[in-house]
């Protein structure tokens, strides 16, 4: 899954040339070309056997059922349900399934009703037969079911051996754990096989979870579609199932739809049958062994474009008919990246087809359902005339991320959600590797540092952080770890691991892990084991044979170290200590470290005379978890500066004595190009964050940005901008803001005059840099920039044709500036574009611009809209977060959040990101009180508990920052002018 937070970063990236080894794709279990076509009448999908003939999926225990004929669905299905039993059990207890009965094959049929009735009454009916093997004798079957009405009279358990009678169970529910409990009088016996049959009915709500409804406009008509989002725990809202990631089974899916619609699922369609009343039943080939959270069902009126990959996988891109032309780019990228990953992982994509679909309402960025990846429209659709460069990069990144999951997550699945990072950390990082393959010139692997590593370091600098590997049990806890730690820190430590193993060993180790674990599950120890064995095979140094010993220090304890580099004569002394944003913060004691907050650090450095920014694993100096200092003898001479952590491959900060910092900042001013752009970004990021924690004087941090108006690389600018946004947030309501704003205006006006406004002929990174510079310059009041934007906007408003005359990469700034300096007329004009544009990125660009208004009543109205269908549900939280960034909007959103907590959490499922955004600028005792009071007033924090703790810790740190730095910044600003 791709969290929507990443939409805000709209990131970019890099990697050196890396091509997968060729592999023999005609061996082993994975031969998808030689299967026996069964009763499929579609020749396009060759080699997809029906479930009863297949033995090609590894780990399959199904051959024993070959003689068993499951109940065939009856057509057409009845549309009535009998009353449900509603025995609410106390709940609590173990949230995990006992698994005495273990599912092997599901025969599932679902029929959504999305027409001819009121949308609030939309529902679906379903039938499922689950074949199970009994692994431990028991008198009950426990499976998951949530918000489903079970037709009790339908429920039957059948022993799968001849001559035995069906068992009619009594039915109970545990509504806290979402358990459906079937109790039997007869004992179910270990070693025997049973099947259970259940009919059910569920609501098709617009909640973006489980099986849900979505809609879009065509002229005055509303077109409805039914779609799914199962991860992590919502498959149980679509049908009764064993809804845990490790419980893999095979699925034989049938979707029933109206004749004028189409249906899609994970596998290829093998049969379509007309039923009464214009209903059609589409049956899909049986899936390989897979987890429930990866299932997907869609019923809609979309059209598609298709291609075939180099290795003969049918690849289709689906969208609203009006938007189908916007799928060209993603289809092309998807096809190429899928093949790239097949080679990178040396494992063919095991399904006969791969669909990508852009649904109009989607709660996340995208979801990696096996064979049917669902995207938010902004994550997949690309229109060269109307979609900006940063969106293009975002689309590429999301496609690559989801395709990486086809191996990391889908083929090999974490045993439990506590290892979620194995999915998300890998997808987060490997996405950049795939993207680099497509666009070398984007330097995305360098970009990963500023877009992911720096975020992770920031999030993980708090005492309220958590280890990458974290025990979780219930749904709230599971949801909370879809966070920066699993994605960005996970990705960052994987990149570090690639560095210390070397690219080849890393890649071959992953291939080993995937080959050995395919169709099964794994934990982080399995990964360390495979990588360790590979490093022995490859003759790597002893140190990296025991990957677990190294990686445990990064994944089992939270936070990360600062390495202090000190010069003593011609030697350099290294020591490590834990970085904490606030050293005095009280440890809530949730997580203990078994390593005493010491790490196994792959350290690298360079000096002025022996400059080398192109280092590899052979250059590593290991600092051990014993924490002893290290002396590097005779490595430096003269008056040299030195820099640690080349290209920031390691997940740690580096600090120096003041005189080395001074030499580095002098170097930046004299000739910044001597230092690699990634290390320039690192110097800025480290200095500012060491200043935040009190490890470095603020004066020194400020010096790292004095050269900025001479900077010409996007990455250091990006890093500096993040820190300067922080200062802005802190100073926004103080008397210093005027001076600060003047400094910023000057800093961005110089590069603006060099870069200009015209993107014609510019490369990717130059376009991104120009955009950053122009936006900041306008933001801080550069008159030329503002006038330019306002007059472009007037042209647009007065224009009549369908063509938008504004350069696509300037639109965000033009709309935002016009709204900031305009009134309700400009706002309504852009709002209308949000409502009516056929291009998702244009909608989002408009939405962002709407938050720039300085009129309180306009912002209030916008806030109200965001909680209703005036703003798409998928965009509602984004709108609120954007308004919270506006200095005027911030207190509005805070009041709104407090006044509408239940409505907001009901509508969006979680308010965690909103809490983080709205409190980001809090820096007074009064603010702190306000969070505490609000938190205490809530009877049930749900999945927002951690977000509150972080908000409190961040606010405390901000208060401290103001106390220590306000005067220093004041003096600095006055000396500058
Ligand atoms: C059924 O359970 C739900 C959820 O606990 C509860 O809100 C509802 O009142 C119950 N209904 C009946 C008829 O007992
Ligand atoms: C489920 O049952 C409840 C109580 O009988 C009913 O109000 C609700 O409409 C049913 N839901 C569906 C989707 O049939
Ligand atoms: C849409 O509805 C509006 C207002 O009811 C009406 O004026 C317009 O003609 C309708 N358009 C179409 C294409 O039916
Ligand atoms: Zn993901």
């Amino acid at each position: 899954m791709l969290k929507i937070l990443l939409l805000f970063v709209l990131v970019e990236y890099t990697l050196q040339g890396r091509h997968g080894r060729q592999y023999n794709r005609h061996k082993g279990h994975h031969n998808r070309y030689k299967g026996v076509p069964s009763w499929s009448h579609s020749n396009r999908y060759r080699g997809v056997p029906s479930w009863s003939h297949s033995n090609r999926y590894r780990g399959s225990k199904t051959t024993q059922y070959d003689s068993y004929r499951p109940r065939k669905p009856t057509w057409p299905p009845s549309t009535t349900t009998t009353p449900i039993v509603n025995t609410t059990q106390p709940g609590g207890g173990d949230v995990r399934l006992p698994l005495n009965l273990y599912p092997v094959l599901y025969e599932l049929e679902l029929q959504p009703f999305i027409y001819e009735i009121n949308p609030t009454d939309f529902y679906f009916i379903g039938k499922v037969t689950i074949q199970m093997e009994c692994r431990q004798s028991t008198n009950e079957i426990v499976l998951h079911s949530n918000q489903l009405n079970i037709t009790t009279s339908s429920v039957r358990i059948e022993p799968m051996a001849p001559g035995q009678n069906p068992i009619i169970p009594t039915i109970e529910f545990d509504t806290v754990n979402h358990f459906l409990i079937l109790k039997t009088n007869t004992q179910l016996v270990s070693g025997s096989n049973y099947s259970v049959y259940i009919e059910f009915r569920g609501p098709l709500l617009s909640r973006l979870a489980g099986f849900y409804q979505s809609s879009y406009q065509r002229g005055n008509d509303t077109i409805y579609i039914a779609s799914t989002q199962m991860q992590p725990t919502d498959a149980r809202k679509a049908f009764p199932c064993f809804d845990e990631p490790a419980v893999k089974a095979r699925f034989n899916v049938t979707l029933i739809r109206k004749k004028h619609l189409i249906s899609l699922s994970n596998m290829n369609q093998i049969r379509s049958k007309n039923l009464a009343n214009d209903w059609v039943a589409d049956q899909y080939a049986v899936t390989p062994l897979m987890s429930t959270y990866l299932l997907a069902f869609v019923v809609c009126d979309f059209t598609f474009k298709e291609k075939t990959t180099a290795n003969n996988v049918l690849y289709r891109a689906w969208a609203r008919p009006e938007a189908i032309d916007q799928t060209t780019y993603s289809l092309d990228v998807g096809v190429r990246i899928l093949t790239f990953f097949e080679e990178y992982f040396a494992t063919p994509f095991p399904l006969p087809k791969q669909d990508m679909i852009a649904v109009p309402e989607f709660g996340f960025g995208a979801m990696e359902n096996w064979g049917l990846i669902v995207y938010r429209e902004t994550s997949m659709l690309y229109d060269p005339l109307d979609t900006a460069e940063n969106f293009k990069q975002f689309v590429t990144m999301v496609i690559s991320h989801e395709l990486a999951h086809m191996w990391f997550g889908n083929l090999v699945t974490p045993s439990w959600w506590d290892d979620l990072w194995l999915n998300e950390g890998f997808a987060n990082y490997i996405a950049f590797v795939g993207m680099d393959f497509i666009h070398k010139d984007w330097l995305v692997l360098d970009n990963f540092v500023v877009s992911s590593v720096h975020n992770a370091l920031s999030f993980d600098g708090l005492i309220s952080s958590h280890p990458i590997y974290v025990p979780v049990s219930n749904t709230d806890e599971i949801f909370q770890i879809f966070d920066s730690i699993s994605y960005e820190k996970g990705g960052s430590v994987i990149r570090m691991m690639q560095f210390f193993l070397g690219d080849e060993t890393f890649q071959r180790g992953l291939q080993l892990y995937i080959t050995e674990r395919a169709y099964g599950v794994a934990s982080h120890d399995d990964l360390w084991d495979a990588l360790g064995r590979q490093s022995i095979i490859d003759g790597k140094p002893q140190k990296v044979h025991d990957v677990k010993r190294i990686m445990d220090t990064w994944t089992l304890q939270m936070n990360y170290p600062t390495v202090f580099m000190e010069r003593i004569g011609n030697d350099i002394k290294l020591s490590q200590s834990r970085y904490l944003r606030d050293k005095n913060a009280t440890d809530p004691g949730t997580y203990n470290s078994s390593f005493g907050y010491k790490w196994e650090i792959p350290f690298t450095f360079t000096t002025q005379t022996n400059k080398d920014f192109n280092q590899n694993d052979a250059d590593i100096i290991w600092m051990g978890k014993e924490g002893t200092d290290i002396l590097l003898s005779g490595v430096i001479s003269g008056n040299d500066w030195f820099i640690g952590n080349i290209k920031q491959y390691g997940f740690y900060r580096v600090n120096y004595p003041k005189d080395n910092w001074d030499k580095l900042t002098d170097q930046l001013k004299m000739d910044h190009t001597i230092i690699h752009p990634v290390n320039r970004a690192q110097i800025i990021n480290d200095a500012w964050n060491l200043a935040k924690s009190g490890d470095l004087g603020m004066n020194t941090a400020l010096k790292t940005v004095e050269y900025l108006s001479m900077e010409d690389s996007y990455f250091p600018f990006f890093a500096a901008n993040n820190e300067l946004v922080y200062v802005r947030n802190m100073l926004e309501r103080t008397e210093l803001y005027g001076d600060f704003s003047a400094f910023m205006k000057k800093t961005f006006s110089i590069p603006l005059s060099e870069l200009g406004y015209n993107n014609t002929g510019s490369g990717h990174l130059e376009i991104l840099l120009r955009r950053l510079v122009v936006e900041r310059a306008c933001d801080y009041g550069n008159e030329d920039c503002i006038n330019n934007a306002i007059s472009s906007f007037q042209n647009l408003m007065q224009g009549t044709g369908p063509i938008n005359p504004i350069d696509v990469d300037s639109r965000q700034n033009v709309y935002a500036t016009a709204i900031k300096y305009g009134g309700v007329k400009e706002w309504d004009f852009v709002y209308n574009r949000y409502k009516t544009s056929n291009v998702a990125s244009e909608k989002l660009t408009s939405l962002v611009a709407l938050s720039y208004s300085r009129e309180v009543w306009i912002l209030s109205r916008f806030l109200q809209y965001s909680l209703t269908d005036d703003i798409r549900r998928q965009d509602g939280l984004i709108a609120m977060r954007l308004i919270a960034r506006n200095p005027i909007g911030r207190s509005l959103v805070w009041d709104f959040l407090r006044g509408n907590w239940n409505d907001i959490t009901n509508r969006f499922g979680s308010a965690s990101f909103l809490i983080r955004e709205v409190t980001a600028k809090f820096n007074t005792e009064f603010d702190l009180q306000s969070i505490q009071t609000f938190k205490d007033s809530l009877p049930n924090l749900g999945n927002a508990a951690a977000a509150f703790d972080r908000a409190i810790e961040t606010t405390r740190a901000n208060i401290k920052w103001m106390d220590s730095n306000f005067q220093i910044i004041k003096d600095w600003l006055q000396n500058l002018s």
Side-chain angles (χ1 to χ4, degrees):
M1 182 153 78
L2 190 98
K3 58 181 184 162
I4 194 56
L5 190 65
L6 286 178
L7 198 63
F8 273 72
V9 182
L10 283 177
V11 282
E12 28 273 2
Y13 342 77
T14 293
L15 179 90
Q16 292 85 9
R18 179 172 313 153
H19 295 279
R21 292 178 308 147
Q22 284 301 316
Y23 56 91
N24 179 356
R25 56 181 72 102
H26 294 288
K27 79 175 184 216
H29 297 265
H30 306 299
N31 193 337
R32 72 171 166 260
Y33 306 110
K34 288 193 192 146
V36 184
S38 59
W39 36 295
S40 159
H41 52 229
S42 162
N43 288 330
R44 179 185 287 150
Y45 310 107
R46 285 181 296 128
V48 182
S50 79
W51 67 273
S52 56
H53 300 125
S54 167
N55 58 1
R56 93 201 140 105
Y57 299 121
R58 178 192 285 232
S60 162
K61 296 206 171 69
T62 58
T63 37
Q64 57 192 298
Y65 298 122
D66 280 0
S67 58
Y68 174 77
R69 302 311 314 175
R71 181 191 321 278
K72 282 295 164 213
T74 50
W75 318 98
S78 86
T79 55
T80 55
T81 47
T82 49
I84 59 159
V85 176
N86 197 5
T87 323
T88 305
Q89 293 233 323
D94 196 348
V95 305
R96 301 294 295 272
L97 296 172
L99 295 175
N100 291 0
L101 283 106
Y102 202 93
V104 175
L105 174 74
Y106 293 74
E107 303 248 334
L108 173 66
E109 174 192 304
L110 288 170
Q111 180 176 21
F113 290 77
I114 51 172
Y115 279 90
E116 295 155 8
I117 44 175
N118 191 329
T120 51
D121 297 330
F122 283 4
Y123 67 99
F124 61 93
I125 59 176
K127 302 170 176 185
V128 66
T129 305
I130 312 172
Q131 298 178 21
M132 302 162 296
E133 54 188 37
C134 184
R135 294 184 170 181
Q136 198 165 7
S137 299
T138 178
N139 276 84
E140 61 181 33
I141 302 174
V142 183
L143 62 165
H144 285 115
S145 173
N146 188 12
Q147 297 171 21
L148 295 174
N149 289 356
I150 304 295
T151 309
T152 48
S153 61
S154 71
V155 181
R156 262 192 308 272
I157 299 166
E158 284 187 36
M160 290 170 63
Q164 294 194 29
N165 294 327
I167 303 163
I168 307 299
T170 56
I171 300 173
E172 290 183 8
F173 291 91
D174 172 345
T175 49
V176 174
N177 290 323
H178 312 144
F179 287 162
L180 167 61
I181 305 162
L182 310 179
K183 298 204 161 168
T184 61
N185 288 325
T186 331
Q187 196 178 51
L188 307 171
V189 186
S190 171
S192 302
N193 299 316
Y194 299 87
S195 80
V196 59
Y197 176 76
I198 304 170
E199 291 179 9
F200 53 93
R201 180 171 169 144
L204 207 61
L205 305 170
S206 54
R207 287 287 176 82
L208 314 183
F211 204 10
Y212 71 90
Q213 61 165 285
S214 161
S215 66
Y216 66 95
Q217 294 299 126
R218 178 174 298 137
N220 288 347
D221 295 334
T222 303
I223 312 293
Y224 291 97
I225 75 171
S227 175
T228 52
Q229 167 60 34
M230 310 302 201
Q231 195 187 24
T233 57
D234 285 330
R236 63 191 69 168
K237 286 183 185 160
F239 65 107
C241 57
F242 296 81
D243 196 12
E244 292 188 357
V247 187
K248 292 194 175 186
R250 301 194 300 144
F251 296 84
N252 184 354
V253 174
T254 299
L255 297 176
I256 302 179
R257 49 148 176 116
K258 279 287 185 180
K259 207 169 212 149
H260 67 289
L261 302 174
I262 58 111
S263 76
L264 290 169
S265 188
N266 305 78
M267 297 296 286
N268 52 302
Q269 193 175 307
I270 52 173
R271 189 160 76 162
S272 207
K273 180 173 168 172
N274 289 328
L275 311 175
N277 300 323
D278 284 339
W279 288 101
V280 178
D282 295 331
Q283 184 169 11
Y284 290 87
V286 175
T287 69
L289 283 177
M290 66 181 285
S291 310
T292 47
Y293 80 88
L294 291 168
L295 288 164
F297 318 120
V298 178
V299 172
C300 64
D301 70 340
F302 287 8
T303 51
F304 68 96
K305 289 192 174 190
E306 68 178 16
K307 281 192 171 188
T308 306
T309 70
N311 296 333
N312 225 11
V313 179
L314 176 73
Y315 206 116
R316 294 180 298 190
W318 297 82
R320 294 180 283 119
E322 293 85 347
I324 192 65
D325 288 340
Q326 300 170 36
T327 61
T328 309
Y329 177 75
S330 46
L331 180 59
D332 179 56
V333 165
V335 163
R336 289 161 63 199
I337 294 184
L338 187 77
T339 304
F340 169 75
F341 281 146
E342 287 187 306
E343 301 189 354
Y344 188 83
F345 295 123
T347 306
F349 180 68
L351 310 184
K353 65 92 176 171
Q354 174 71 69
D355 285 318
M356 56 176 6
I357 182 168
V359 303
E361 281 269 31
F362 193 66
F364 300 92
M367 176 64 211
E368 69 268 21
N369 315 300
W370 218 2
L372 175 52
I373 305 176
V374 177
Y375 295 81
R376 176 182 282 248
E377 286 196 346
T378 34
S379 309
M380 183 177 136
L381 301 182
Y382 173 77
D383 178 338
L385 289 180
D386 274 325
T387 308
E389 195 70 14
N390 61 338
F391 277 104
K392 185 179 189 180
Q393 181 174 296
F394 183 69
V395 165
T396 316
M397 188 271 283
V398 179
I399 292 170
S400 191
H401 178 111
E402 302 309 329
L403 288 175
H405 277 311
M406 299 300 116
W407 289 265
F408 264 91
N410 300 10
L411 193 57
V412 183
T413 310
S415 316
W416 179 242
W417 298 111
D418 50 9
D419 261 330
L420 175 73
W421 80 281
L422 275 183
N423 268 2
E424 299 303 350
F426 260 93
N428 188 41
Y429 178 63
I430 297 293
F432 284 67
V433 177
M435 191 162 35
D436 183 63
F437 168 74
I438 300 287
H439 295 288
K440 282 272 175 290
D441 61 312
W442 288 6
L443 303 182
V444 293
L445 294 177
D446 285 348
N447 206 326
F448 185 81
V449 174
V450 293
S451 57
S452 259
V453 179
H454 288 181
N455 285 343
L457 289 168
S458 163
F459 193 98
D460 196 32
L462 300 179
I463 211 156
S464 51
S465 183
H466 64 81
I468 284 182
Y469 171 80
V470 56
V472 288
S473 55
N474 64 42
T475 300
D476 280 345
E477 289 172 358
I478 292 167
F479 247 106
Q480 286 192 32
I481 60 166
F482 282 84
D483 66 5
S484 192
I485 296 298
S486 300
Y487 283 76
E488 285 161 338
K489 185 179 180 183
S492 303
V493 301
I494 287 160
R495 174 174 173 267
M496 174 168 73
M497 191 164 70
Q498 179 184 31
F499 179 68
F500 72 67
L501 289 170
D503 292 1
E504 311 253 291
T505 299
F506 175 74
Q507 186 182 345
R508 283 197 284 264
L510 295 184
Q511 292 170 354
L512 191 62
Y513 167 82
I514 287 187
T515 313
E516 290 179 350
R517 301 276 154 191
Y519 303 103
V521 296
S523 71
H524 54 268
D525 281 343
D526 298 319
L527 180 64
W528 309 151
D529 179 63
L531 291 164
R533 277 185 285 139
Q534 189 65 48
S535 84
I536 293 169
I537 295 169
D538 292 351
K540 290 286 171 180
Q542 180 97 37
K543 177 75 192 182
V544 296
H545 292 180
D546 192 350
V547 174
K548 177 176 167 60
R549 186 186 140 85
I550 299 165
M551 292 306 290
D552 274 355
T553 68
W554 298 97
T555 55
L556 302 184
Q557 65 183 346
M558 62 179 178
N559 309 133
Y560 54 84
T562 300
V563 173
F564 193 78
M565 282 180 88
E566 190 179 356
R567 178 170 179 174
I568 305 169
N570 290 340
D571 306 339
I572 288 178
K573 192 179 96 177
L574 306 175
S575 54
Q576 64 163 298
S577 60
R578 177 191 189 185
Y579 175 88
L580 276 180
R581 167 86 194 273
D582 178 357
K583 293 197 170 45
N584 301 323
T586 340
D587 191 337
T590 320
Y591 306 104
N592 294 317
S593 166
S594 31
F595 306 102
Y597 294 105
K598 299 287 180 197
W599 286 262
E600 289 284 328
I601 306 172
F603 184 78
T604 51
F605 76 103
T606 193
T607 64
Q608 190 167 2
T609 309
N610 298 313
K611 226 171 35 260
D612 180 6
F613 288 97
N614 201 9
Q615 304 193 11
N616 59 35
D617 58 310
D619 299 305
I620 291 171
I621 296 143
W622 282 96
M623 300 176 67
K625 63 184 174 194
E626 311 74 32
T628 37
D629 296 353
I630 289 178
L631 197 69
L632 308 170
S633 304
V635 293
I636 188 161
S637 58
N639 199 26
D640 277 12
W641 47 250
F642 45 96
I643 297 176
N645 202 3
I646 299 312
K647 286 187 166 172
Q648 217 165 359
Y649 281 117
F651 194 71
Y652 55 90
R653 299 195 183 284
V654 188
N655 198 0
Y656 317 95
K658 185 167 183 311
D659 71 317
N660 190 56
W661 279 111
D662 288 343
K663 285 179 199 163
L664 289 174
T665 49
D666 287 348
Q667 179 67 68
L668 290 176
K669 282 188 217 173
M670 251 158 18
D671 180 2
H672 60 273
T673 61
I674 296 289
I675 299 171
H676 190 279
V678 171
N679 278 99
R680 304 207 290 271
Q682 172 225 15
I683 286 171
I684 295 166
N685 185 260
D686 277 352
W688 282 77
N689 287 285
L690 290 165
K692 282 181 194 163
S693 62
D695 293 292
L696 181 66
M698 190 63 196
N699 275 315
T700 304
L702 288 163
K703 276 192 199 156
T704 63
V705 296
E706 285 175 2
Y707 87 106
L708 201 60
S709 56
M710 268 120 57
E711 182 56 82
D712 48 7
S713 161
Y714 179 64
F715 309 127
F717 247 118
F718 187 96
N721 184 51
N722 279 346
E723 299 313 322
L724 293 167
V725 164
Y726 179 77
V727 180
R728 178 208 178 116
N729 287 346
M730 292 300 104
L731 299 185
E732 206 165 70
R733 297 181 167 203
T734 71
E735 78 270 17
L736 263 196
Y737 187 68
D739 286 348
F740 174 72
S741 184
F743 162 73
M744 293 295 279
K745 181 175 161 186
K746 202 169 123 204
T747 298
F748 286 96
S749 295
I750 296 168
L752 176 65
S753 61
E754 271 164 33
L755 286 165
Y757 301 95
N758 188 357
N759 282 311
T760 314
S762 301
H764 178 76
L765 286 167
E766 188 178 318
I767 293 175
L768 296 186
L769 175 61
R770 180 176 294 111
R771 180 179 170 136
L772 179 80
V773 165
V774 172
E775 284 183 9
R776 292 300 91 173
C778 265
D779 209 10
Y780 287 105
N782 178 300
E783 292 79 6
D784 182 56
C785 186
I786 293 167
N787 292 335
N788 203 317
I790 291 177
S791 82
S792 296
F793 190 80
Q794 271 158 1
N795 283 344
L796 176 67
M797 273 177 84
Q798 284 150 13
T800 44
I803 304 291
N804 187 331
I806 305 171
D807 171 67
V808 62
D809 291 291
S810 310
R811 276 183 211 168
Q812 181 71 80
N813 184 56
V814 168
Y815 296 2
T817 306
I819 283 183
K820 183 172 172 186
Y821 292 96
V824 70
K825 189 162 69 90
E826 286 77 11
W827 200 92
D828 286 347
F829 180 83
V830 175
Y831 180 64
N832 187 46
R833 294 190 81 82
Y834 169 75
K835 295 296 272 185
T836 58
S837 175
N838 183 38
V839 179
S841 55
E842 175 77 6
K843 276 185 191 287
L844 186 57
T845 298
S846 304
L847 192 75
V848 173
L850 293 174
S851 72
Y852 275 71
S853 174
R854 291 187 294 187
E855 302 262 9
V856 174
W857 75 269
I858 292 179
L859 288 174
S860 292
R861 188 179 66 170
F862 187 21
L863 260 180
Q864 294 294 344
Y865 286 176
S866 68
L867 203 49
T868 69
D869 289 340
D870 289 323
I871 301 290
R872 279 192 169 283
R873 185 182 293 259
Q874 65 167 12
D875 296 338
L877 265 188
I878 296 178
M880 287 186 208
R881 293 177 56 191
L882 289 166
I883 303 167
R885 291 184 174 189
N886 178 325
I888 297 162
R890 161 192 143 176
S891 35
L892 289 177
V893 176
W894 184 232
D895 290 345
F896 191 75
L897 179 65
R898 287 183 296 176
N900 300 278
W901 177 259
N902 288 336
D903 290 346
I904 291 172
T905 49
N906 282 342
R907 188 171 171 85
F908 304 116
S910 164
S912 297
F913 291 139
L914 186 57
I915 293 168
R916 183 174 170 191
E917 192 78 50
V918 74
T919 60
K921 304 176 181 181
F922 281 18
N923 59 8
T924 65
E925 289 296 335
F926 178 79
D927 292 334
L928 187 61
Q929 256 322 309
S930 166
I931 308 180
Q932 193 67 57
T933 311
F934 182 28
K935 184 186 173 194
D936 294 345
S937 75
L938 292 170
N940 175 13
L941 292 172
N943 55 23
F948 273 106
D949 290 345
R950 281 180 206 126
I952 289 168
E953 187 182 348
T954 306
T955 304
R956 287 218 174 91
N958 290 347
I959 294 171
K960 226 182 216 170
W961 189 93
M962 287 294 278
D963 288 348
S964 342
N965 296 320
F966 187 82
Q967 190 60 43
I968 298 174
I969 292 178
K970 187 171 178 176
D971 295 345
W972 179 74
L973 285 170
Q974 273 158 7
N975 285 341
L976 278 179
S977 45

